[in-house]
Amino acid sequence: MKLLVCGGAGFIGSNFVRQRLAQHGDEVVVLDKLTYAGRRENLDGLGVELVEAGIEDAAAVRGALEGVDAVVNFAAETHVDRSIAEPDAFVQTHAVGTWVLLEAVREAGVRYVQVSTDEVYGSIEEGSFTEESPLQPSSPYSATKAGADLLVTSYFHTYGTEAVICRGSNNYGPYQYPEKLIPLMVLNALHGDHLPVYGDGLQVRNWIYVDDFAAGIGHALAHGRPGEVYNVGGPDETTNIEVVQRVIGLTGADESQIEYVTDRPGHDRRYSLGSEKVRALGWEPQVRFEEGLERTVDWYRENTAWWKPIRSGDYLEYYARHYGKTLG
Ligand code: NAD
Ligand code: DAU
Protein backbone atom coordinates (compact mmCIF):
# COMPACT_ATOMS: atom_id res chain seq x y z
CA MET A 1 0.00 0.00 0.00
CA LYS A 2 1.22 3.54 -0.72
CA LEU A 3 0.56 5.87 2.22
CA LEU A 4 0.72 9.63 2.57
CA VAL A 5 1.59 10.32 6.21
CA CYS A 6 1.00 13.95 7.16
CA GLY A 7 2.95 15.06 10.23
CA GLY A 8 5.15 11.98 9.79
CA ALA A 9 8.30 13.78 10.98
CA GLY A 10 6.88 14.20 14.50
CA PHE A 11 6.88 11.79 17.45
CA ILE A 12 3.99 9.41 16.75
CA GLY A 13 4.04 9.91 12.98
CA SER A 14 7.68 8.86 12.64
CA ASN A 15 7.15 5.80 14.87
CA PHE A 16 4.11 4.91 12.74
CA VAL A 17 6.17 5.23 9.53
CA ARG A 18 8.88 2.99 10.99
CA GLN A 19 6.26 0.37 11.90
CA ARG A 20 4.57 0.49 8.47
CA LEU A 21 7.88 0.02 6.65
CA ALA A 22 9.11 -2.78 8.91
CA GLN A 23 5.89 -4.73 9.45
CA HIS A 24 3.72 -3.99 6.41
CA GLY A 25 6.16 -3.24 3.57
CA ASP A 26 4.27 -0.06 2.69
CA GLU A 27 5.59 2.66 0.45
CA VAL A 28 5.44 5.94 2.40
CA VAL A 29 5.49 9.63 1.48
CA VAL A 30 5.67 12.06 4.41
CA LEU A 31 4.25 15.58 4.18
CA ASP A 32 5.36 17.72 7.11
CA LYS A 33 5.76 21.43 7.76
CA LEU A 34 8.77 20.74 10.01
CA THR A 35 7.67 22.99 12.86
CA TYR A 36 9.83 23.00 16.03
CA ALA A 37 8.39 19.52 16.76
CA GLY A 38 8.95 18.00 13.32
CA ARG A 39 12.46 16.79 12.59
CA ARG A 40 14.10 15.32 9.48
CA GLU A 41 16.31 13.27 11.83
CA ASN A 42 13.24 11.34 12.96
CA LEU A 43 13.12 9.78 9.48
CA ASP A 44 16.88 9.18 9.11
CA GLY A 45 17.72 5.91 7.41
CA LEU A 46 14.11 5.11 6.50
CA GLY A 47 14.41 6.10 2.83
CA VAL A 48 11.00 7.78 2.67
CA GLU A 49 10.22 10.80 0.52
CA LEU A 50 9.69 13.97 2.61
CA VAL A 51 7.59 16.80 1.21
CA GLU A 52 8.25 19.88 3.34
CA ALA A 53 4.89 21.65 3.36
CA GLY A 54 1.88 22.40 5.51
CA ILE A 55 -1.40 20.49 5.21
CA GLU A 56 -2.96 23.91 4.55
CA ASP A 57 -0.95 24.14 1.29
CA ALA A 58 -3.47 22.81 -1.25
CA ALA A 59 -1.03 22.54 -4.17
CA ALA A 60 1.60 20.67 -2.16
CA VAL A 61 -1.02 18.31 -0.73
CA ARG A 62 -2.46 17.57 -4.18
CA GLY A 63 1.01 16.82 -5.53
CA ALA A 64 1.89 14.54 -2.61
CA LEU A 65 -1.39 12.63 -3.02
CA GLU A 66 -0.51 11.35 -6.47
CA GLY A 67 -0.66 7.56 -6.64
CA VAL A 68 -1.46 7.25 -2.95
CA ASP A 69 -3.96 4.64 -1.62
CA ALA A 70 -4.64 6.23 1.77
CA VAL A 71 -3.80 9.23 3.95
CA VAL A 72 -3.04 9.17 7.68
CA ASN A 73 -3.06 12.62 9.26
CA PHE A 74 -0.90 13.22 12.32
CA ALA A 75 -0.14 16.85 11.43
CA ALA A 76 -0.98 19.06 14.40
CA GLU A 77 0.20 21.44 17.05
CA THR A 78 0.22 19.16 20.06
CA HIS A 79 1.29 20.87 23.26
CA VAL A 80 -1.54 22.03 25.54
CA ASP A 81 0.63 24.66 27.31
CA ARG A 82 1.57 26.25 23.98
CA SER A 83 -2.10 26.30 22.95
CA ILE A 84 -2.88 28.30 26.08
CA ALA A 85 -0.08 30.80 25.45
CA GLU A 86 -0.43 31.08 21.64
CA PRO A 87 -3.51 29.43 20.12
CA ASP A 88 -3.11 30.85 16.57
CA ALA A 89 -1.25 27.97 14.95
CA PHE A 90 -3.65 25.47 16.54
CA VAL A 91 -6.63 27.08 14.83
CA GLN A 92 -4.77 27.38 11.53
CA THR A 93 -3.49 23.79 11.36
CA HIS A 94 -6.44 21.97 12.91
CA ALA A 95 -9.27 23.91 11.25
CA VAL A 96 -7.89 25.24 7.96
CA GLY A 97 -5.29 22.51 7.48
CA THR A 98 -7.70 19.64 8.08
CA TRP A 99 -10.23 21.24 5.72
CA VAL A 100 -7.65 21.64 2.91
CA LEU A 101 -6.54 18.06 3.38
CA LEU A 102 -10.12 16.75 3.34
CA GLU A 103 -10.85 18.63 0.12
CA ALA A 104 -7.84 17.03 -1.57
CA VAL A 105 -8.81 13.59 -0.21
CA ARG A 106 -12.35 14.03 -1.52
CA GLU A 107 -11.02 14.92 -4.96
CA ALA A 108 -8.62 11.95 -4.96
CA GLY A 109 -11.25 9.55 -3.55
CA VAL A 110 -8.84 7.83 -1.15
CA ARG A 111 -9.23 6.44 2.36
CA TYR A 112 -8.42 8.80 5.25
CA VAL A 113 -7.51 8.34 8.92
CA GLN A 114 -7.61 11.36 11.27
CA VAL A 115 -5.37 10.94 14.30
CA SER A 116 -7.13 12.50 17.26
CA THR A 117 -7.01 12.54 21.03
CA ASP A 118 -8.91 11.56 24.17
CA GLU A 119 -8.72 15.24 25.19
CA VAL A 120 -11.70 16.03 22.94
CA TYR A 121 -13.91 14.37 25.59
CA GLY A 122 -12.61 16.61 28.39
CA SER A 123 -11.95 15.31 31.90
CA ILE A 124 -13.65 12.33 33.60
CA GLU A 125 -13.70 11.73 37.39
CA GLU A 126 -14.71 8.05 37.24
CA GLY A 127 -15.15 5.38 34.58
CA SER A 128 -13.93 5.70 30.98
CA PHE A 129 -14.98 7.55 27.85
CA THR A 130 -16.56 5.61 25.01
CA GLU A 131 -16.87 6.77 21.40
CA GLU A 132 -20.43 7.92 22.27
CA SER A 133 -19.29 10.29 25.05
CA PRO A 134 -20.02 13.97 24.35
CA LEU A 135 -17.21 16.21 23.16
CA GLN A 136 -16.32 18.65 25.97
CA PRO A 137 -12.83 19.92 25.20
CA SER A 138 -11.21 22.29 27.70
CA SER A 139 -8.16 23.84 26.01
CA PRO A 140 -7.57 25.58 22.68
CA TYR A 141 -5.61 22.43 21.72
CA SER A 142 -8.44 20.00 22.42
CA ALA A 143 -11.18 22.36 21.15
CA THR A 144 -9.49 22.73 17.77
CA LYS A 145 -8.82 18.96 17.61
CA ALA A 146 -12.53 18.38 18.34
CA GLY A 147 -13.40 20.85 15.57
CA ALA A 148 -11.19 18.91 13.15
CA ASP A 149 -12.91 15.65 14.13
CA LEU A 150 -16.33 17.16 13.44
CA LEU A 151 -15.14 18.37 10.05
CA VAL A 152 -13.88 14.88 9.21
CA THR A 153 -17.22 13.34 10.17
CA SER A 154 -19.06 15.94 8.08
CA TYR A 155 -17.06 14.90 4.99
CA PHE A 156 -18.18 11.30 5.53
CA HIS A 157 -21.84 12.28 5.93
CA THR A 158 -21.91 14.90 3.17
CA TYR A 159 -19.54 13.57 0.51
CA GLY A 160 -19.13 9.92 1.46
CA THR A 161 -15.41 10.41 2.17
CA GLU A 162 -14.02 7.11 3.46
CA ALA A 163 -12.82 8.65 6.73
CA VAL A 164 -12.08 7.06 10.10
CA ILE A 165 -11.07 8.82 13.35
CA CYS A 166 -8.65 7.32 15.91
CA ARG A 167 -8.54 8.91 19.37
CA GLY A 168 -5.46 8.03 21.40
CA SER A 169 -4.58 8.47 25.05
CA ASN A 170 -1.23 9.88 26.32
CA ASN A 171 1.61 8.44 24.24
CA TYR A 172 5.21 7.99 25.38
CA GLY A 173 8.32 6.41 23.86
CA PRO A 174 11.31 7.27 21.64
CA TYR A 175 11.49 10.53 19.61
CA GLN A 176 9.02 12.50 21.81
CA TYR A 177 9.85 16.20 21.99
CA PRO A 178 10.97 17.12 25.52
CA GLU A 179 8.19 19.60 26.21
CA LYS A 180 5.87 16.69 27.16
CA LEU A 181 5.85 15.26 30.68
CA ILE A 182 7.87 12.05 30.29
CA PRO A 183 10.79 13.16 28.05
CA LEU A 184 11.01 16.46 29.93
CA MET A 185 11.27 14.67 33.28
CA VAL A 186 13.76 12.11 31.93
CA LEU A 187 16.13 14.72 30.49
CA ASN A 188 15.83 17.05 33.50
CA ALA A 189 16.41 14.10 35.82
CA LEU A 190 19.54 13.06 33.89
CA HIS A 191 20.86 16.63 34.01
CA GLY A 192 20.16 17.24 37.72
CA ASP A 193 17.62 19.93 36.80
CA HIS A 194 14.36 20.62 38.66
CA LEU A 195 11.34 18.36 37.97
CA PRO A 196 8.36 20.75 37.61
CA VAL A 197 5.09 19.17 38.77
CA TYR A 198 1.93 21.15 38.03
CA GLY A 199 -0.48 21.74 40.94
CA ASP A 200 -0.74 18.77 43.33
CA GLY A 201 0.56 16.25 40.78
CA LEU A 202 -2.47 14.00 41.31
CA GLN A 203 -3.85 14.41 37.79
CA VAL A 204 -4.27 11.04 36.07
CA ARG A 205 -3.21 10.12 32.54
CA ASN A 206 -3.89 6.91 30.60
CA TRP A 207 -0.46 5.96 29.17
CA ILE A 208 0.04 4.11 25.88
CA TYR A 209 3.39 3.08 24.41
CA VAL A 210 3.77 4.71 21.01
CA ASP A 211 4.10 1.43 19.07
CA ASP A 212 0.76 0.30 20.50
CA PHE A 213 -0.97 3.47 19.36
CA ALA A 214 0.66 3.14 15.91
CA ALA A 215 -0.67 -0.44 15.69
CA GLY A 216 -4.16 0.73 16.71
CA ILE A 217 -4.11 3.32 13.94
CA GLY A 218 -3.00 0.58 11.54
CA HIS A 219 -5.99 -1.54 12.59
CA ALA A 220 -8.39 1.34 12.02
CA LEU A 221 -6.78 2.00 8.65
CA ALA A 222 -7.18 -1.61 7.56
CA HIS A 223 -10.47 -2.58 9.20
CA GLY A 224 -12.24 0.56 10.51
CA ARG A 225 -15.69 1.41 9.19
CA PRO A 226 -15.90 4.77 7.39
CA GLY A 227 -17.59 7.45 9.49
CA GLU A 228 -16.67 5.67 12.74
CA VAL A 229 -14.53 6.76 15.68
CA TYR A 230 -12.15 4.32 17.43
CA ASN A 231 -10.68 5.03 20.87
CA VAL A 232 -7.17 3.63 21.36
CA GLY A 233 -6.31 3.81 25.06
CA GLY A 234 -3.33 2.43 26.96
CA PRO A 235 -3.40 -0.34 29.58
CA ASP A 236 -2.30 1.80 32.55
CA GLU A 237 -3.50 4.89 34.40
CA THR A 238 -1.04 6.76 36.60
CA THR A 239 -0.88 10.02 38.52
CA ASN A 240 1.72 12.50 37.32
CA ILE A 241 3.63 12.37 40.59
CA GLU A 242 3.92 8.58 40.29
CA VAL A 243 5.32 9.01 36.77
CA VAL A 244 7.92 11.45 38.11
CA GLN A 245 8.83 9.12 40.97
CA ARG A 246 9.29 6.22 38.56
CA VAL A 247 11.54 8.39 36.38
CA ILE A 248 13.59 9.28 39.47
CA GLY A 249 13.92 5.57 40.24
CA LEU A 250 15.08 4.73 36.71
CA THR A 251 17.55 7.62 36.33
CA GLY A 252 19.06 7.75 39.81
CA ALA A 253 17.88 11.34 40.25
CA ASP A 254 16.98 12.77 43.65
CA GLU A 255 13.50 13.41 45.13
CA SER A 256 14.73 16.90 46.09
CA GLN A 257 14.68 17.78 42.36
CA ILE A 258 10.85 17.71 42.44
CA GLU A 259 9.37 21.20 42.47
CA TYR A 260 5.64 21.85 42.68
CA VAL A 261 4.87 24.74 40.32
CA THR A 262 1.81 26.80 39.34
CA ASP A 263 -0.90 24.63 37.81
CA ARG A 264 -1.86 24.72 34.12
CA PRO A 265 -5.01 26.88 33.64
CA GLY A 266 -8.10 24.74 33.02
CA HIS A 267 -6.05 21.58 33.73
CA ASP A 268 -8.00 18.37 32.99
CA ARG A 269 -7.92 16.15 36.09
CA ARG A 270 -8.22 12.69 34.58
CA TYR A 271 -8.32 10.97 31.19
CA SER A 272 -9.47 7.41 30.68
CA LEU A 273 -10.39 5.72 27.41
CA GLY A 274 -12.47 2.60 26.83
CA SER A 275 -11.10 0.81 23.74
CA GLU A 276 -13.51 -2.11 23.26
CA LYS A 277 -14.41 -1.04 19.73
CA VAL A 278 -10.84 -1.17 18.39
CA ARG A 279 -10.24 -4.38 20.37
CA ALA A 280 -13.10 -5.89 18.37
CA LEU A 281 -10.99 -5.17 15.25
CA GLY A 282 -8.26 -7.40 16.71
CA TRP A 283 -6.03 -4.81 18.44
CA GLU A 284 -4.51 -5.27 21.91
CA PRO A 285 -1.88 -3.11 23.63
CA GLN A 286 1.36 -5.08 24.12
CA VAL A 287 3.44 -2.87 26.40
CA ARG A 288 2.71 -2.17 30.08
CA PHE A 289 3.80 1.15 31.57
CA GLU A 290 6.64 -0.23 33.70
CA GLU A 291 8.34 -1.89 30.73
CA GLY A 292 7.62 0.95 28.28
CA LEU A 293 8.98 3.59 30.64
CA GLU A 294 12.19 1.62 31.16
CA ARG A 295 12.63 1.29 27.38
CA THR A 296 11.95 5.01 26.98
CA VAL A 297 14.48 6.07 29.63
CA ASP A 298 17.07 3.76 27.99
CA TRP A 299 16.38 5.31 24.59
CA TYR A 300 16.95 8.87 25.88
CA ARG A 301 20.12 7.76 27.69
CA GLU A 302 21.48 6.19 24.50
CA ASN A 303 20.41 8.85 22.00
CA THR A 304 22.14 11.99 23.22
CA ALA A 305 22.79 13.06 19.60
CA TRP A 306 19.01 13.24 19.08
CA TRP A 307 18.19 15.51 22.03
CA LYS A 308 21.39 17.57 22.38
CA PRO A 309 20.49 19.95 19.52
CA ILE A 310 16.92 20.26 20.88
CA ARG A 311 18.02 21.22 24.41
CA SER A 312 19.50 24.50 23.17
CA GLY A 313 18.38 27.72 21.42
CA ASP A 314 14.58 28.07 21.01
CA TYR A 315 13.89 25.28 23.50
CA LEU A 316 15.82 27.05 26.24
CA GLU A 317 13.95 30.28 25.48
CA TYR A 318 10.60 28.44 25.62
CA TYR A 319 11.65 26.76 28.85
CA ALA A 320 12.71 30.01 30.54
CA ARG A 321 9.48 31.74 29.45
CA HIS A 322 7.23 28.91 30.57
CA TYR A 323 8.94 27.71 33.75
CA GLY A 324 10.86 30.88 34.71
CA LYS A 325 14.04 28.74 35.00
CA THR A 326 17.21 28.15 33.07
CA LEU A 327 18.40 24.60 32.48
CA GLY A 328 21.80 23.29 33.46
P1 NAD B 1 4.34 16.14 17.45
O1 NAD B 1 4.16 17.53 17.93
O2 NAD B 1 5.52 15.35 17.89
O3 NAD B 1 4.34 16.11 15.85
C1 NAD B 1 3.47 16.87 15.07
C2 NAD B 1 3.99 16.87 13.65
O4 NAD B 1 3.08 17.62 12.82
C3 NAD B 1 5.36 17.55 13.51
O5 NAD B 1 6.20 16.78 12.68
C4 NAD B 1 5.04 18.90 12.88
O6 NAD B 1 6.11 19.43 12.11
C5 NAD B 1 3.84 18.53 12.03
N1 NAD B 1 2.98 19.67 11.70
C6 NAD B 1 2.49 20.63 12.54
N2 NAD B 1 1.71 21.49 11.87
C7 NAD B 1 1.69 21.06 10.58
C8 NAD B 1 1.05 21.51 9.41
N3 NAD B 1 0.28 22.60 9.40
N4 NAD B 1 1.23 20.81 8.26
C9 NAD B 1 2.03 19.73 8.24
N5 NAD B 1 2.68 19.26 9.31
C10 NAD B 1 2.50 19.91 10.47
O7 NAD B 1 2.99 15.41 17.81
P2 NAD B 1 2.64 13.90 18.18
O8 NAD B 1 2.67 13.76 19.65
O9 NAD B 1 3.42 13.00 17.32
O10 NAD B 1 1.10 13.88 17.75
C11 NAD B 1 0.70 13.44 16.46
C12 NAD B 1 -0.82 13.42 16.40
O11 NAD B 1 -1.34 12.53 17.39
C13 NAD B 1 -1.49 14.76 16.66
O12 NAD B 1 -2.56 14.89 15.78
C14 NAD B 1 -1.96 14.67 18.10
O13 NAD B 1 -3.08 15.48 18.31
C15 NAD B 1 -2.30 13.20 18.19
N6 NAD B 1 -2.19 12.61 19.54
C16 NAD B 1 -1.06 12.78 20.29
C17 NAD B 1 -0.98 12.16 21.53
C18 NAD B 1 0.25 12.28 22.40
O14 NAD B 1 0.20 11.85 23.56
N7 NAD B 1 1.35 12.82 21.92
C19 NAD B 1 -2.05 11.38 22.00
C20 NAD B 1 -3.19 11.24 21.21
C21 NAD B 1 -3.23 11.85 19.97
O1 DAU C 1 -4.20 12.69 26.18
C1 DAU C 1 -3.59 12.81 24.92
C2 DAU C 1 -2.79 14.08 24.88
O2 DAU C 1 -1.67 13.87 25.71
C3 DAU C 1 -2.36 14.51 23.50
O3 DAU C 1 -3.49 14.77 22.72
C4 DAU C 1 -1.46 15.74 23.56
O4 DAU C 1 -0.97 16.07 22.27
C5 DAU C 1 -0.30 15.43 24.47
O5 DAU C 1 0.51 16.58 24.62
C6 DAU C 1 -0.79 14.96 25.84
O6 DAU C 1 -1.44 16.04 26.56
P1 DAU C 1 -1.18 16.28 28.12
O7 DAU C 1 -1.46 17.68 28.44
O8 DAU C 1 -1.82 15.21 28.93
O9 DAU C 1 0.40 15.97 28.11
P2 DAU C 1 1.65 16.70 28.83
O10 DAU C 1 2.83 15.82 28.60
O11 DAU C 1 1.77 18.13 28.46
O12 DAU C 1 1.25 16.64 30.36
C7 DAU C 1 0.92 15.40 30.99
C8 DAU C 1 0.52 15.73 32.42
O13 DAU C 1 1.66 16.20 33.14
C9 DAU C 1 -0.51 16.83 32.53
O14 DAU C 1 -1.39 16.54 33.61
C10 DAU C 1 0.31 18.07 32.84
C11 DAU C 1 1.47 17.51 33.66
N1 DAU C 1 2.75 18.24 33.52
C12 DAU C 1 3.22 18.48 32.27
C13 DAU C 1 4.41 19.14 32.10
C14 DAU C 1 4.94 19.43 30.71
C15 DAU C 1 3.46 18.61 34.66
O15 DAU C 1 3.05 18.35 35.80
N2 DAU C 1 4.65 19.24 34.48
C16 DAU C 1 5.16 19.56 33.25
O16 DAU C 1 6.24 20.19 33.17
Side-chain angles (χ1 to χ4, degrees), residues 40-42 48 57 76 80 85 90 101 149 152 162 164 168 174 178 188 223 225 254 262 270 296 301 317 325:
R40 277 179 199 282
E41 301 90 304
N42 292 356
V48 298
D57 179 342
V80 174
F90 291 75
L101 197 49
D149 284 8
V152 170
E162 214 183 295
V164 172
N188 282 16
H223 312 294
R225 274 191 31 212
D254 197 278
T262 310
R270 175 172 175 261
T296 304
R301 264 191 208 287
E317 280 165 37
K325 285 250 179 196

Side-chain angles (χ1 to χ4, degrees), residues 7 9-13 31-35 37-38 53-56 74-78 93 115-117 141 145 168-171 176 180 213:
F11 162 49
I12 307 174
L31 182 138
D32 197 296
K33 199 173 180 173
L34 298 184
T35 66
I55 53 170
E56 63 277 15
F74 294 88
E77 291 291 333
T78 59
T93 291
V115 180
S116 185
T117 167
Y141 164 67
K145 287 294 288 184
S169 61
N170 279 68
N171 278 238
Q176 187 167 31
K180 307 285 163 54
F213 187 39

Side-chain angles (χ1 to χ4, degrees), residues 82-155:
R82 289 185 194 253
S83 86
I84 294 167
E86 288 173 73
D88 321 27
F90 291 75
V91 176
Q92 182 67 15
T93 291
H94 303 171
V96 179
T98 307
W99 163 67
V100 170
L101 197 49
L102 284 167
E103 276 296 305
V105 162
R106 170 158 90 100
E107 198 178 287
V110 296
R111 193 167 167 85
Y112 179 85
V113 178
Q114 174 75 359
V115 180
S116 185
T117 167
D118 57 1
E119 298 201 13
V120 298
Y121 299 118
S123 189
I124 189 165
E125 286 293 315
E126 285 178 3
S128 300
F129 290 119
T130 72
E131 290 80 358
E132 308 307 319
S133 300
L135 301 187
Q136 290 184 318
S138 346
S139 69
Y141 164 67
S142 51
T144 50
K145 287 294 288 184
D149 284 8
L150 295 176
L151 206 49
V152 170
T153 307
S154 81
Y155 269 63

Side-chain angles (χ1 to χ4, degrees), residues 4-43:
L4 174 61
V5 180
C6 301
F11 162 49
I12 307 174
S14 62
N15 279 291
F16 175 79
V17 169
R18 211 165 284 109
Q19 185 175 98
R20 295 307 299 189
L21 297 173
Q23 296 177 18
H24 301 266
D26 289 334
E27 187 183 339
V28 173
V29 176
V30 168
L31 182 138
D32 197 296
K33 199 173 180 173
L34 298 184
T35 66
Y36 73 95
R39 306 185 74 215
R40 277 179 199 282
E41 301 90 304
N42 292 356
L43 301 169

Side-chain angles (χ1 to χ4, degrees), residues 227-251:
E228 296 288 320
V229 173
Y230 295 88
N231 290 343
V232 184
D236 296 290
E237 289 184 21
T238 314
T239 59
N240 292 338
I241 191 66
E242 191 188 330
V243 171
V244 174
Q245 270 153 354
R246 281 177 183 264
V247 169
I248 289 173
L250 289 166
T251 54

Side-chain angles (χ1 to χ4, degrees), residues 26 71 104 120 168 188 194 200 275 299:
D26 289 334
V71 176
V120 298
N188 282 16
H194 79 144
D200 62 8
S275 310
W299 188 87

